Amino acid sequence: QVQVTESGGGLVQAGGSLRLSCTASGLTFGEYPLGWFRQAPGKARERISCLYGSYTDKYYADSVKGRFTISRDNAKNTVYLQMNDLNPEDTAMYYCVADPEYQVLVTTTMCSGNFRYWGHGTQVTVSP
């Protein structure tokens, strides 16, 4: 049974940083698409960053571009989301996703398709 688990969320002041981590049991993170979504109360779920294959294949939503960085450490079976210069609009539940079936297309300008595996989320709260 596959289980994806996020960690690293918390409360931070505006301008601060957090690094989210995501690991999985029953699933080995490989070169297939991985990503992060977020959802704030009363708002639609947002696809914020995706990673595929070589490190040049990274997608960022405009809302986080230049502030967030996605990376992967296959040896640790972990994907990260480094979040800098946080602001209150970044407050949300953050979800890690994985697509070992290669159904998701990732380029630097798009991340399209459905991720099969989702974590339960980690809460990020940014105070003014």
Side-chain angles (χ1 to χ4, degrees), residues 57-124:
D57 295 313
K58 295 183 179 180
Y59 164 82
Y60 296 99
D62 288 342
S63 58
V64 306
K65 196 174 296 182
R67 301 187 297 123
F68 290 14
T69 303
I70 189 172
S71 62
R72 156 170 55 203
D73 186 335
N74 288 345
K76 296 182 178 179
N77 207 40
T78 302
V79 60
Y80 302 99
L81 186 68
Q82 176 67 42
M83 307 186 296
N84 297 329
D85 193 22
L86 287 161
N87 59 65
E89 289 69 40
D90 295 314
T91 295
M93 185 72 77
Y94 283 71
Y95 299 91
C96 176
V97 292
D99 170 43
E101 298 172 346
Y102 293 90
Q103 298 299 303
V104 174
L105 175 63
V106 180
T107 69
T108 56
T109 58
M110 66 182 296
C111 176
S112 177
N114 296 319
F115 287 90
R116 178 171 181 180
Y117 295 111
W118 290 68
H120 292 295
T122 184
Q123 178 67 39
V124 172

Side-chain angles (χ1 to χ4, degrees), residues 36-51:
W36 292 89
F37 283 67
R38 69 183 180 186
Q39 187 165 22
K43 294 187 177 181
R45 187 170 60 193
E46 182 182 14
R47 190 176 310 219
I48 57 173
S49 186
C50 303
L51 171 66

